[in-house]
Amino acid sequence: MDQLLITRPDDWHVHLRDGVALRHTVRETAQCFARALVMPNLDPPVVTTEQALAYRQRILAAIPAGSAFQPLMTLYLTEESSPEEMQTAKASGAIHGVKLYPAGVTTHSSAGICNLERIYRVLEALEAHDLPLLIHAEVADPQVDVFDREQIFIERQLLPLVERFAGLRIVVEHVTTTEAIDFVRDAPMRVAATITAHHLLMNRNALLQGGIQPHHFCAPILQRERHRRALIRAAISGSPKFFLGTDSAPHPKASKECACASAGIYTAPIALGLYAEVFEAVGALDRLEAFSSHYGAYFYGLPRNSDTLCLQRTPTAVPSELDLGDDVVVPLRAGGTVAWTVMAS
Ligand code: NCD
Ligand code: ZN
């Protein structure tokens, strides 16, 4: 199979950033994806519907002429978020999920949640309005080993949450471990997960190949090979609970190539080709379409995209740097190649 024609995919977890970067990140996401669920961790974060609608307008203004790309917006939960705001969000029709960042786990998460009990009323509102809760499932506790943060979050926070809010739809974002996969698989159908291309492609050795590799550093961190294999099994399993979310998260080159590198990997322009590499390597290319283009839309209650996209098995060269407006970003595979190319439509 040298060509693959699939329903145009969506990206169910992306960081587009703001300002002059938008022209670049939006174009590079819109090249392949029809829709993208846009994360709200700007600085300051997108906490109200009004802020999300204004951010949406800035994204719309950055869409290249002729593109039908649609940004789907999210809100950022704080301990001050109100149940009324959740109702407003749902009524806007533009907001498709609400993001829970435990305070301190990742980029711009300091305004996030320290104590889940303080947002129970908000979670009840999400449940009542059928607005999905999107969770960065890691504990921020510095006593917990960095490689155990997801598993401990699941045990301490997520299991009780799923039980307590029996109608709440939940996406465990960017799952990285066997434990997370097992948890989602065994949970009710209202619980799903996104999987990134980089967690499918790399294990934690990639962080330390010949030296520290800051461009492979992300949150949650890359895990052992046995976890990567569990992610691949889930992605190709045909279960609608597992779908594509790139977590493409650009940082300026200077914030990555320094003494204290930021977490985040930029994959937007090459993401679909990377997923195709993974599926091809395990002989499951026939499963790529459902994972990339069907299951996410189904979970979010949206129609599948009506147009198609053609992937061809020809190597694409990846630039060593890409423009980010005022900065440059070093994408994953910088200076290398990706085995599959998205053909221009
Ligand atoms: C993301 C970012 O940079 O905004 N970073 C990352 O490593 N994934 C935040 C996030 O999704 O954790
Ligand atoms: Zn993210």
Side-chain angles (χ1 to χ4, degrees):
M1 219 191 312
D2 286 332
Q3 277 202 345
L4 199 61
L5 191 69
I6 61 169
T7 305
R8 186 172 289 278
D10 303 305
D11 184 351
W12 297 101
H13 182 130
V14 74
H15 300 269
L16 296 177
R17 311 304 191 207
D18 205 352
V20 289
L22 281 179
R23 226 159 31 89
H24 305 279
T25 56
V26 172
R27 188 188 67 243
E28 285 162 3
T29 287
Q31 269 164 10
C32 159
F33 298 106
R35 296 170 291 202
L37 194 65
V38 182
M39 292 300 121
N41 62 330
L42 302 182
D43 185 19
V46 180
V47 295
T48 65
T49 304
E50 197 182 340
Q51 289 167 339
L53 294 179
Y55 183 30
R56 181 169 176 273
Q57 288 305 323
R58 299 197 292 280
I59 296 168
L60 291 177
I63 298 175
S67 165
F69 177 71
Q70 289 178 48
L72 308 174
M73 308 311 291
T74 60
L75 292 188
Y76 182 119
L77 276 184
T78 73
E79 293 185 0
E80 277 70 54
S81 299
S82 70
E84 294 73 30
E85 191 63 53
M86 303 305 118
Q87 185 175 7
T88 310
K90 178 70 180 194
S92 75
I95 292 164
H96 296 265
V98 174
K99 186 78 193 261
L100 191 170
Y101 291 102
V105 281
T106 190
T107 308
H108 299 154
S109 63
S110 57
I113 306 302
C114 293
N115 182 351
L116 271 180
E117 284 178 26
R118 298 203 192 113
I119 59 162
Y120 278 179
R121 285 183 55 243
V122 169
L123 299 182
E124 281 164 13
L126 293 180
E127 193 176 16
H129 299 300
D130 198 25
L131 204 47
L133 177 69
L134 320 177
I135 304 184
H136 185 117
E138 287 193 279
V139 289
D141 183 348
Q143 301 301 318
V144 173
D145 189 280
V146 65
F147 294 100
D148 296 334
R149 285 182 182 173
E150 187 176 75
Q151 181 187 346
I152 302 282
F153 184 90
I154 291 169
E155 286 167 17
R156 289 188 194 162
Q157 318 270 18
L158 200 46
L159 268 164
L161 197 89
V162 170
E163 274 181 28
R164 183 178 189 101
F165 298 93
L168 184 61
R169 289 198 293 139
I170 292 174
V171 182
V172 188
E173 297 291 340
H174 39 55
V175 284
T176 62
T177 56
T178 310
E179 288 80 7
I181 295 293
D182 290 350
F183 167 77
V184 172
R185 188 198 56 213
D186 297 341
M189 283 310 289
R190 61 188 167 86
V191 179
T194 52
I195 308 182
T196 77
H198 46 271
H199 289 104
L200 288 168
L201 279 166
M202 296 186 288
N203 65 32
R204 67 192 199 178
N205 286 359
L207 284 166
L208 297 165
Q209 257 161 3
I212 290 182
Q213 300 293 334
H215 297 295
H216 294 163
F217 175 55
C218 59
I221 200 157
L222 297 174
Q223 290 276 356
R224 281 181 183 278
E225 178 63 7
R226 71 181 174 87
H227 295 292
R228 187 183 77 90
R229 287 175 187 264
L231 299 184
I232 294 177
R233 282 197 299 275
I236 67 167
S237 67
S239 163
K241 287 178 162 182
F242 299 101
F243 47 82
L244 183 156
T246 63
D247 195 15
S248 177
H251 287 273
K253 181 178 178 177
S255 310
K256 293 291 278 179
E257 299 184 1
C258 57
C260 184
S262 303
I265 298 182
Y266 190 55
T267 53
I270 52 165
L272 194 64
L274 296 175
Y275 283 106
E277 283 186 1
V278 173
F279 280 66
E280 182 181 28
V282 293
L285 272 177
D286 59 328
R287 297 286 170 94
L288 181 64
E289 180 180 34
F291 173 81
S292 319
S293 316
H294 297 170
Y295 299 153
Y298 175 73
F299 180 86
Y300 281 97
L302 294 168
R304 286 182 193 170
N305 297 311
S306 50
D307 60 334
T308 54
L309 169 150
C310 181
L311 269 164
Q312 188 162 309
R313 198 195 295 107
T314 348
T316 302
V318 185
S320 55
E321 296 177 353
L322 288 162
D323 198 356
L324 201 58
D326 289 339
D327 299 289
V328 293
V329 55
V330 178
L332 189 63
R333 293 273 171 90
T337 58
V338 179
W340 289 79
T341 302
V342 174
M343 305 308 284
S345 49

